């Protein structure tokens, strides 16, 4: 596992308080919460500063459906157009992992007092060698962070998408998705959305026509498919 430096003293303190809050919340239920791993990169501080600047320049809408997570969210340029009846806010930061969403939950979601949060993460985690169990544990930590700060806020978890460039990881992705699906089915206000299966062809491999040249990120057809899958889950 790579060792990363935390981006700033403020982030260290804020994240430490988050972890302590999660530990305290779990203690009352006799559940032991493993300490959260450090952020995957110090570069996310720049993204958080950009979000703050955007909020000043263009005040965000009240109680939006916040989409956050890695590059599949960040690159969704048609997000607002795709869901015209929903007030959405894009707070994706490309290359991020689930644990990064936990560390920066306040900056990417909580401060907007969202009516719903849609999270896409785990793709990069698996690619960087994290296990399905780690992805699920980090996802549970994210949900716990949300529920502690904003009780009752619905969270929709997007399954890890299959992509041609990461076809060798399909087994790990399936395992992670199934674990997330099983866990979410036992929770209140948590939905698992399967984007994995519809993105596979009849041969069981990722559909090439859904991706841009890098064979990792989606093109307009890929996002159109996501729009159809995710739309029914969104709160209006």
């Amino acid at each position: 596992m790579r060792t990363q430096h935390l981006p700033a003293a403020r982030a260290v303190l804020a994240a430490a308080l988050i972890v302590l809050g999660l530990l305290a919340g779990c203690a009352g239920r006799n559940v032991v919460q493993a300490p959260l791993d450090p952020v995957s990169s110090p570069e996310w501080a720049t993204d958080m500063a950009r979000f703050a600047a955007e909020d000043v320049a263009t005040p965000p809408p009240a109680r939006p459906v916040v989409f956050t997570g890695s590059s599949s969210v960040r690159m969704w340029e048609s997000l607002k157009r795709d869901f015209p009846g929903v007030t959405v806010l894009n707070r994706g930061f490309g290359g991020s992992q689930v644990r990064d969403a936990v560390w920066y939950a306040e900056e990417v979601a909580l401060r907007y007092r969202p009516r719903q949060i849609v999270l896409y993460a785990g793709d990069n985690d698996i690619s960087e060698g994290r296990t399905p169990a780690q992805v699920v544990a980090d996802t549970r930590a994210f949900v716990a962070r949300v529920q502690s700060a904003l009780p009752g806020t619905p969270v929709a978890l997007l399954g890890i998408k299959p992509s041609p460039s990461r076809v060798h990881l399909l087994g790990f992705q399936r395992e992670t998705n199934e674990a997330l699906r099983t866990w979410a089915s036992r929770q209140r206000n948590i939905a698992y959305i399967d984007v994995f299966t519809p993105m596979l062809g009849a041969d069981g491999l990722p559909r090439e026509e859904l991706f841009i040249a890098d064979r990792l990120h989606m093109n307009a057809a890929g996002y159109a498919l996501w729009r159809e899958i995710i739309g029914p889950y969104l709160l209006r």
Side-chain angles (χ1 to χ4, degrees):
M1 184 181 298
R2 297 176 300 170
T3 300
Q4 299 284 357
H5 295 291
L6 299 183
R10 186 183 67 82
V12 173
L13 177 58
L17 291 174
I18 290 172
V19 175
L20 288 174
L22 291 174
L23 288 170
C26 291
R29 298 187 296 273
N30 296 318
V31 176
V32 177
Q33 174 74 41
L36 184 67
D37 287 332
V39 292
S40 66
S41 171
E43 296 178 4
W44 310 137
T46 301
D47 290 88
M48 300 309 122
R50 174 170 56 83
F51 292 151
E54 289 177 3
D55 289 345
V56 171
T58 306
R63 303 210 62 221
V65 174
V66 172
F67 282 68
T68 190
S70 56
S71 55
S72 292
V73 173
R74 180 182 61 82
M75 296 173 67
W76 198 339
E77 296 180 354
S78 62
L79 184 65
K80 291 183 178 180
R81 298 193 304 274
D82 286 342
F83 303 111
V86 183
T87 301
V88 298
L89 181 66
N90 190 324
R91 284 296 176 261
F93 50 122
S96 63
Q97 299 181 19
V98 183
R99 53 183 160 154
D100 303 317
V102 185
W103 283 96
Y104 289 111
E106 176 67 26
E107 288 84 350
V108 300
L110 301 181
R111 67 180 173 188
Y112 302 109
R113 298 299 183 262
R115 71 180 62 223
Q116 182 182 28
I117 298 171
V118 180
L119 175 69
Y120 180 77
D123 199 338
N124 296 318
D125 310 51
I126 296 297
S127 180
E128 292 298 320
R130 289 178 75 76
T131 66
Q134 286 176 308
V135 174
V136 173
D138 291 345
T139 302
R140 293 178 64 170
F142 178 79
V143 170
R145 176 76 178 102
V146 172
Q147 292 179 337
S148 175
L150 300 172
T153 300
V155 178
L157 306 173
L158 303 185
I160 298 172
K161 75 181 193 303
S163 59
S165 69
R166 292 178 175 175
V167 68
H168 59 293
L169 298 174
L170 284 179
F172 293 107
Q173 293 173 342
R174 282 195 181 94
E175 181 181 347
T176 305
N177 287 341
E178 188 55 38
L180 287 171
R181 183 202 305 271
T182 299
W183 177 76
S185 69
R186 299 169 180 164
Q187 312 304 310
R188 295 185 59 185
N189 298 316
I190 308 300
Y192 171 81
I193 303 177
D194 179 18
V195 298
F196 181 89
T197 305
M199 296 183 73
L200 297 175
D203 57 1
L205 297 177
R207 295 166 54 188
E208 293 273 1
E209 72 272 17
L210 300 177
F211 295 87
I212 61 175
D214 66 7
R215 305 175 77 230
L216 173 62
H217 298 101
M218 294 182 295
N219 58 23
Y223 283 114
L225 178 61
W226 272 30
R227 180 190 65 215
E228 296 303 316
I229 297 169
I230 297 169
Y233 290 87
L234 300 185
L235 299 181
R236 288 164 170 78

